[in-house]
Amino acid sequence: MEKGRINIAIDGHSSSGKSTMAKSLAKELNFVYIDTGAMYRAAALFCIKERLIDGHEIDERRIPAAIERMYIAFKYNSKTEQSEIHLGGVNVEKEIRSMEVARRVSLVAAVPEIRHKLVNIQQRMASIGGVVMDGRDIGTVVMPKAELKFFITADMEIRAKRRFEELKNKGVESTLSDVLNNIRERDRIDTTRAVAPLRKAKDSIVMDNSNLSIDEQFDFLLNHARKVMSDA
Ligand code: DC
């Protein structure tokens, strides 16, 4: 690892604002931002398109062969100045934010073969350092040796309101109670699944941002990052 090019893991609950923070932190430090939630959402979209999901059931027998055909990658878009997620070479950045994908993603993210495939890709991307990666198992499974780990959370109702506003601004139709139910259900599945459940890594720094402004959150993370980088 090049000096100072540490890896930063950011885990936490759904809609806790992890991605916003991870993105800003990566930009400030000139690091690469990796949104692993987008990868699981793309995998969910793949399973929907391949008709591997029926109601609340996923056809696990067909998964191993099907995921051989699942190509998920980030490509830089110079117009938006962001890395965007592609599935089979097609930009699915917008499609993966739909409520249909949100409703299915925890189910898909609990399938061991899918986690195995995506974790491999994530570890490869982090191998050279200088990465800010956000998700649920980053500090515990994907980058257990990351130099800096954060665990971000907030009150469930506050998270639902934030997500609802975000969807509204993006023109995605939803209701507050739908969003709240979805977050409650995702928290439940994410924390109770058998493989890589959402857990705070022992060595992670907790930030509850229920009552923090965006600037306060950013300063908190950046101060920790600068300190660790100066010691690295
Ligand atoms: O961060 P997000 O809400 O976009 O994540 C979407 C889903 O993907 C979430 O319900 C849990 C799952 N996920 C996961 O299991 N592991 C990760 N590292 C990231 C996301």
Side-chain angles (χ1 to χ4, degrees):
M1 188 184 76
E2 217 178 288
K3 189 167 165 39
R5 308 252 336 143
I6 62 166
N7 280 332
I8 303 178
I10 305 188
D11 289 302
H13 289 107
S14 291
S15 300
S16 59
K18 298 183 302 290
S19 310
T20 311
M21 282 301 119
K23 235 180 261 176
S24 310
L25 195 59
K27 192 165 181 201
E28 178 70 24
L29 300 174
N30 216 3
F31 280 19
V32 175
Y33 165 58
I34 300 166
D35 175 359
T36 64
M39 299 172 76
Y40 285 97
R41 285 168 181 269
L45 185 62
F46 173 82
C47 292
I48 294 168
K49 286 186 192 289
E50 293 277 324
R51 300 188 183 283
L52 293 166
I53 304 174
D54 185 9
H56 289 285
E57 301 260 318
I58 188 154
D59 191 343
E60 298 220 16
R61 275 176 315 125
R62 285 174 53 214
I63 290 280
I67 62 171
E68 295 282 322
R69 289 177 271 118
M70 181 176 82
Y71 298 106
I72 292 176
F74 288 100
K75 288 188 191 152
Y76 186 73
N77 179 340
S78 54
K79 274 198 203 126
T80 58
E81 296 186 349
Q82 300 206 352
S83 282
E84 294 176 346
I85 191 96
H86 287 63
L87 174 64
V90 177
N91 188 326
V92 290
E93 190 62 40
K94 180 137 195 263
E95 226 178 320
I96 59 160
R97 309 287 164 196
S98 69
M99 279 304 281
E100 192 194 359
V101 169
R103 273 194 285 269
R104 307 278 183 244
V105 63
S106 286
L107 188 67
V108 171
V111 178
E113 289 92 342
I114 290 183
R115 297 205 73 82
H116 184 72
K117 177 159 182 164
L118 297 188
V119 167
N120 269 336
I121 301 173
Q122 291 153 8
Q123 289 178 331
R124 225 178 308 132
M125 290 191 284
S127 60
I128 52 162
V131 154
V132 180
M133 194 181 290
D134 81 349
R136 305 295 189 289
D137 58 342
I138 311 305
T140 51
V141 176
V142 182
M143 308 198 301
K145 296 197 175 133
E147 289 78 0
L148 182 57
K149 300 179 185 176
F150 293 107
F151 189 88
I152 304 188
T153 189
D155 179 82
M156 192 184 282
E157 307 238 330
I158 293 178
R159 287 188 276 135
K161 276 192 197 130
R162 287 179 187 157
R163 179 70 115 194
F164 176 65
E165 289 303 325
E166 192 184 308
L167 289 171
K168 203 161 76 182
N169 291 337
K170 283 186 181 157
V172 179
E173 243 178 82
S174 62
T175 64
L176 182 57
S177 76
D178 257 6
V179 176
L180 181 60
N181 286 336
N182 174 251
I183 287 181
R184 184 178 295 118
E185 184 61 2
R186 283 206 281 153
D187 279 4
R188 188 187 66 74
I189 301 179
D190 292 346
T191 52
T192 58
R193 69 174 171 229
V195 191
L198 170 63
R199 290 265 183 284
K200 183 188 114 38
K202 271 197 224 86
D203 50 351
S204 69
I205 298 164
V206 179
M207 179 174 77
D208 181 329
N209 63 19
S210 302
N211 298 306
L212 295 180
S213 70
I214 297 280
D215 285 350
E216 286 168 332
Q217 295 176 50
F218 183 66
D219 287 348
F220 178 88
L221 302 186
L222 187 61
N223 287 340
H224 278 287
R226 292 228 188 278
K227 180 160 187 333
V228 173
M229 284 166 76
S230 68
D231 297 341

